[in-house]
Amino acid sequence: MPIIDFLAPHFDWFNDPTAWVALLTLVVLEIVLGIDNLIFISILTNKLPPEQQPRARFLGISAALVMRLVLLATISFIVQLTAPLFTLFGHGFSWRDLILIAGGLFLVWKATKEIHHTVDPNDHKDSMVGTLQMSLGGAIFQILLLDLVFSIDSIITAVGMTDEIAIMYIAVIAAVTVMMLAATPLANFIAKNPTIVMLALGFLLMIGMTLIADGMGFHVPKGYIYAAMGFSALVEGLNMLARRRKKGGSGEAH
């Protein structure tokens, strides 16, 4: 990839139709990639007291934006993260691989803990929250950890699609803006539907395993992951509709 001049960005791409196609594609891709982060933020912030939840979501997503913009400013360093550090089992591990594996393990641990707490809410010894509410600082810290993992993956994806720094900035800002708008409705929807909580935790578990596999050199096409998530969400949506109609029918019977 050529070195990008950040101090004097050029805007010749405005007149290039292929650049606009790349921009639209990258915006959509960044939004899709942000779904993983948004699900985690929604589940985590729902553990906070109600008055702190909007603030936590705003701070967490704002931090994601700042982190991605900072990473874009150090893009030459980010690109170097894909260089192999050592080889193990025939796979050359880079810093990106190690970060993805660490983030995947963290997601698997968090999702497993929360699934255990959801299935057995009376067992507080092994829950990720325990008998106390999660603190705002603790939630923001955990969001930042996952922001870093998802941000590096997002920026490397952007670098692979275009050399124009302006396009990358626009795509990242657009994606994070959509996350900001969707965060509260998604969190409220998850909180009001207990079965959706378990489905979302299953998504996090799958995403965590995908990150680990990617870091180990076994790339799973994102299309398969999101197709599986979409199918599961569709089935759950039909279940919710069936339960709602059943309740409505019971009410009319009485």
Side-chain angles (χ1 to χ4, degrees):
M1 174 185 172
I3 297 175
I4 300 174
D5 185 1
F6 292 95
L7 298 179
H10 56 85
F11 297 94
D12 295 341
W13 61 272
F14 268 89
N15 300 319
D16 185 1
T18 59
W20 284 97
V21 172
L23 173 60
L24 292 175
T25 304
L26 190 55
V27 168
V28 173
L29 186 58
E30 291 291 328
I31 290 174
V32 172
L33 291 175
I35 293 174
D36 307 346
N37 205 359
L38 194 56
I39 292 174
F40 179 78
I41 290 174
S42 298
I43 290 179
L44 196 62
T45 54
N46 280 348
K47 290 297 177 181
L48 293 169
E51 65 275 7
Q52 293 184 355
Q53 291 176 12
R55 183 184 176 193
R57 285 191 285 269
F58 176 78
L59 291 176
I61 297 174
S62 298
L65 175 59
V66 171
M67 191 173 295
R68 294 184 189 195
L69 294 180
V70 169
L71 289 175
L72 276 174
T74 59
I75 202 167
S76 58
F77 170 74
I78 297 300
V79 172
Q80 293 175 6
L81 292 179
T82 59
L85 293 172
F86 60 91
T87 301
L88 190 63
F89 304 119
H91 174 63
F93 287 87
S94 64
W95 277 114
R96 173 184 176 274
D97 294 331
L98 297 179
I99 291 171
L100 289 180
I101 291 172
L105 289 172
F106 178 70
L107 264 185
V108 169
W109 175 76
K110 292 296 280 186
T112 302
K113 287 283 187 180
E114 186 60 13
I115 288 173
H116 177 85
H117 175 61
T118 304
V119 173
D120 188 7
N122 295 321
D123 183 6
H124 294 297
K125 294 180 180 180
D126 200 28
S127 70
M128 79 173 184
V129 179
T131 56
L132 300 175
Q133 288 272 15
M134 179 179 293
S135 68
L136 177 62
I140 295 299
F141 176 73
Q142 293 177 54
I143 290 172
L144 284 175
L145 287 179
L146 263 295
D147 278 347
L148 177 62
V149 176
F150 290 127
S151 294
I152 289 177
D153 200 30
S154 169
I155 298 305
I156 290 176
T157 300
V159 171
M161 292 192 62
T162 180
D163 293 333
E164 292 288 349
I165 188 64
I167 291 178
M168 296 182 200
Y169 273 115
I170 293 171
V172 166
I173 292 172
V176 175
T177 300
V178 171
M179 287 176 60
M180 190 74 74
L181 295 174
T184 297
L186 178 62
N188 292 340
F189 181 72
I190 289 176
K192 292 177 182 177
N193 297 275
T195 55
I196 293 294
V197 174
M198 188 61 71
L199 182 64
L201 289 171
F203 288 164
L204 289 182
L205 198 59
M206 180 172 63
I207 293 164
M209 292 302 298
T210 303
L211 291 176
I212 295 172
D214 200 352
M216 297 290 291
F218 302 98
H219 179 66
V220 181
K222 287 291 196 299
Y224 293 159
I225 302 300
Y226 293 117
M229 291 171 65
F231 179 75
S232 300
L234 176 62
V235 171
E236 182 56 31
L238 293 174
N239 284 332
M240 291 173 61
L241 181 61
R243 287 194 298 268
R244 190 173 301 171
R245 289 191 172 184
K246 187 176 181 180
K247 287 182 179 179
S250 300
E252 291 176 1
H254 289 295

